Amino acid sequence: MKIISKLLKTAFAFIGTISIVLLASCSKAGYERNTIRMSITSEPDSFFPWNSAAADTAAISGNIFEGLMRFDEKGTLFPCLAESYEISSDNLKYTFKLKKGVKFHNGADFSSADCVYTYENLAGLNGKTARADKMHVVKAVSAPDAHTFVVELKNQAGGFLALATSPILLHDYDDNETLPIGTGPYKFKEYTLHERVILEKNENYHDAERSGKIHNIELYVMSDENAALSALQSNQIDIAQMITGTNAKALSGSYKVVSHPQNMVQILGMNSKFTPFADENVRKAISFAVNKKEIIDGVFDGFATELYSNFSPILGEFYNDKLSDVYKNDLEKAKEYLKKSDYADGFDLTITVPANYQPHVDTAQILANQLAKINIRCKIEPVEWTTWLDKVYTKFDYEATVIAFAGKNDPAEVLRRYYSTYKRNFTNFKSEEFDNAFNRAEAETNPPKRAEYYKECQAILTEHAPAVFICDPGINIVMAKNIDGYTPYPVAFYDFTKLYFKK
């Protein structure tokens, strides 16, 4: 059965509650082609990179902060705040030569002191609290001079350069929570809770070729798709993102529509600390009971790629394409596996979902209908995004959830979520076999061998089913026809430097 939410039924209804701030911003001056306005679906959780977990926030903050390295739309890595780098013959020491003349948005000079400060905090060196588990491989950092930064690793790590995209923070500044200061092509200007974020062009940006073409970027918080569509049609915003396939198709004649996969993995996450899910037979039963095509058609209007592990085919050489037949929708097999468990008669299940992401709510509704066929009785619990982050992502206080993992450029960042001791392993998946394969992949510097280890990790995840891996949802962007330059990336990133008005 195809689910059509109330959002889709009333997508073109007039919404009379657009905020006063949004209306006020549409003055004549606002349309002198120096401002682009875009909707965002969720409230920023924190502009301080070390405190943020939301993909939408990272997509914005990537314009404010920069790392030693950066990536392009194909995922290829390039030096950014680093001018160049050298790797020692034993692959344990990375020496970065830093760009000169780079300034933070407050006018402070960028130097190796900022790199030392950032990496000591990320890796938990010299008595500091580790801010990023992914940096556990860092043994020591040093700064021979103001424009040289050296990182020593505990062991070889084939993906370290991808980690070097982590934002560099100003070493003597402690107010990034309220006024984020970076070196990026756009500066933070204003944030009004529940309303909007404003960025402005960094006129002193260090890379003239990547300098923004638009002076102001205004981002309006609109979790309701109706509000975004109404604002777009009344010229109050220029770009509406995360639009459903049905509405994108309907608007394609009057607006420019860009559709692309997101390198994102939507899952039904099953908390193994919830007693039924401690039994792998139950997890396998649910994996057979879920009809992914019904979700893709009913929620995403066909604009999604079916997945079989916590990996999207966008990651190319690292993707394991041998897993599609492991859990084909089969109710009889689902019932067989349930009979092998202590829950042959089914059980009650609460699915906690972030209410601001309608596709996840709709997916949960379809899943409830599908699981009812094997007598798993689902209650859907929609919660605010901040509540979901606290309850599910941080405290692991839930039974099941529907969420989508933001895409990453490095396979390790994708798969680390299931590592036994990872603090964000909210499915509580524990597998020595997986951990060992992951460790081998992280230490491997030969790309083909590294890829094989990551494929092994995917196969282990699929076999043991800590989650049902549903799809990579396609993202639909609808924009005014006079806007160009929108560029999809394999990670959550809005590259505002490439946007411009066509003449």
Side-chain angles (χ1 to χ4, degrees):
M1 178 182 66
K2 185 168 182 176
I3 299 296
I4 302 178
S5 70
K6 293 181 180 179
L7 275 178
L8 300 185
K9 293 180 180 178
T10 59
F12 300 106
F14 177 77
I15 302 298
T17 57
I18 302 296
S19 71
I20 294 174
V21 172
L22 178 56
L23 291 170
S25 72
C26 297
S27 63
K28 182 178 179 181
Y31 277 90
E32 291 174 351
R33 300 198 171 197
N34 64 354
T35 300
I36 283 182
R37 299 168 178 82
M38 186 176 86
S39 66
I40 54 176
T41 56
S42 63
E43 198 80 46
D45 63 337
S46 174
F47 286 107
F48 187 8
W50 298 343
N51 292 341
S52 176
D56 247 6
T57 307
I60 298 167
S61 296
N63 293 273
I64 301 171
F65 297 98
E66 297 178 303
L68 295 168
M69 304 291 290
R70 68 176 181 89
F71 48 82
D72 66 9
E73 58 268 29
K74 296 179 181 179
T76 305
L77 291 167
F78 296 92
C80 184
L81 291 177
E83 188 175 76
S84 63
Y85 62 89
E86 293 181 357
I87 306 174
S88 63
S89 58
D90 61 4
N91 294 299
L92 293 177
K93 182 183 289 187
Y94 289 70
T95 301
F96 296 92
K97 291 297 181 182
L98 307 180
K99 278 189 177 180
K100 297 178 181 179
V102 177
K103 290 186 178 294
F104 283 89
H105 296 154
N106 63 352
D109 292 324
F110 162 69
S111 74
S112 57
D114 305 305
C115 301
V116 170
Y117 166 76
T118 298
Y119 277 70
E120 282 187 342
N121 277 278
L122 291 175
L125 304 176
N126 297 329
K128 295 180 173 61
T129 301
R131 297 285 193 153
D133 287 354
K134 63 186 180 183
M135 288 291 186
H136 69 90
V137 71
V138 175
K139 176 182 178 181
V141 297
S142 59
D145 58 58
H147 296 100
T148 305
F149 175 57
V150 180
V151 180
E152 296 180 56
L153 305 183
K154 297 174 184 176
N155 48 260
Q156 294 183 356
F160 177 71
L161 285 178
L163 300 183
T165 60
S166 299
I168 299 294
L169 304 189
L170 181 59
H171 73 279
D172 56 356
Y173 182 73
D174 60 3
D175 197 24
N176 276 307
E177 192 69 61
T178 56
L179 182 61
I181 296 293
T183 61
Y186 279 89
K187 300 189 294 184
F188 177 90
K189 183 178 180 181
E190 176 187 317
Y191 171 44
T192 305
L193 185 65
H194 305 315
E195 292 179 356
R196 67 177 179 177
V197 179
I198 300 179
L199 307 181
E200 64 179 353
K201 181 180 176 180
N202 178 8
E203 299 292 355
N204 298 313
Y205 187 54
H206 59 87
D207 187 343
E209 292 185 3
R210 293 189 65 239
S211 183
K213 303 171 182 64
I214 299 296
H215 190 271
N216 297 310
I217 303 292
E218 297 183 0
L219 305 156
Y220 290 89
V221 180
M222 294 180 176
S223 58
D224 187 334
E225 184 181 1
N226 290 343
L229 290 171
S230 179
L232 178 70
Q233 292 177 296
S234 57
N235 296 322
Q236 295 174 70
I237 61 173
D238 308 292
I239 303 173
Q241 58 114 359
M242 298 298 287
I243 301 303
T244 57
T246 295
N247 288 338
K249 289 176 185 177
L251 290 166
S252 60
S254 303
Y255 294 87
K256 181 183 296 183
V257 176
V258 178
S259 300
H260 62 89
Q262 300 182 74
N263 187 23
M264 183 175 278
V265 179
Q266 188 198 41
I267 68 167
L268 169 65
M270 296 177 278
N271 187 353
S272 291
K273 284 196 173 179
F274 175 54
T275 305
F277 292 151
D279 189 330
E280 188 173 302
N281 288 313
V282 174
R283 304 198 304 267
K284 288 184 174 181
I286 288 177
S287 297
F288 277 114
V290 171
N291 184 332
K292 300 174 188 178
K293 188 177 186 305
E294 186 177 2
I295 294 169
I296 290 171
D297 291 341
V299 176
F300 301 103
D301 301 291
F303 286 87
T305 303
E306 187 171 335
L307 298 182
Y308 315 102
S309 186
N310 203 107
F311 232 70
S312 170
I314 286 181
L315 287 173
E317 63 180 323
F318 296 106
Y319 176 68
N320 189 333
D321 61 358
K322 310 295 185 185
L323 304 173
S324 60
D325 291 331
V326 177
Y327 293 116
K328 287 193 172 181
N329 179 227
D330 189 328
L331 282 179
E332 292 308 311
K333 281 192 176 181
K335 292 173 183 177
E336 286 175 17
Y337 273 101
L338 207 57
K339 285 180 181 178
K340 294 179 183 179
S341 74
D342 292 331
Y343 301 92
D345 295 327
F347 56 92
D348 295 325
L349 175 65
T350 299
I351 305 177
T352 304
V353 288
N356 59 306
Y357 288 103
Q358 190 63 39
H360 298 333
V361 176
D362 291 346
T363 296
Q365 292 171 343
I366 293 178
L367 287 168
N369 292 335
Q370 293 176 350
L371 296 182
K373 296 175 183 178
I374 57 172
N375 206 29
I376 296 178
R377 301 167 293 277
C378 298
K379 171 188 173 185
I380 299 172
E381 179 187 35
V383 297
E384 294 298 319
W385 176 235
T386 53
T387 302
W388 187 93
L389 287 170
D390 178 62
K391 182 176 180 179
V392 179
Y393 196 61
T394 303
K395 296 178 179 176
F396 307 169
D397 180 19
Y398 77 105
E399 296 175 3
T401 189
V402 177
I403 195 64
F405 283 130
K408 302 293 183 182
N409 210 28
D410 177 34
E413 289 195 67
V414 176
L415 295 170
R416 185 175 281 108
R417 299 178 176 114
Y418 297 94
Y419 196 83
S420 295
T421 57
Y422 182 50
K423 67 180 180 181
R424 297 295 191 187
N425 177 8
F426 66 87
T427 61
N428 282 298
F429 178 63
K430 311 292 182 186
S431 167
E432 184 177 351
E433 182 186 13
F434 177 87
D435 292 351
N436 290 338
F438 183 85
N439 290 337
R440 289 193 295 271
E442 274 209 305
E444 183 58 63
T445 57
N446 178 279
K449 289 183 180 179
R450 187 166 174 250
E452 286 306 311
Y453 289 137
Y454 283 131
K455 289 179 182 178
E456 182 182 348
C457 288
Q458 294 167 62
I460 294 167
L461 283 182
T462 299
E463 178 186 356
H464 296 292
V468 178
F469 308 103
I470 302 170
C471 66
D472 180 354
I475 184 171
N476 300 304
I477 309 294
V478 181
M479 66 189 81
K481 285 190 172 182
N482 64 339
I483 290 181
D484 215 339
Y486 179 84
T487 305
Y489 278 75
V491 297
F493 179 44
Y494 306 130
D495 191 346
F496 297 135
T497 68
K498 295 190 176 184
L499 293 176
Y500 64 95
F501 286 100
K502 292 192 296 184
K503 296 181 180 178

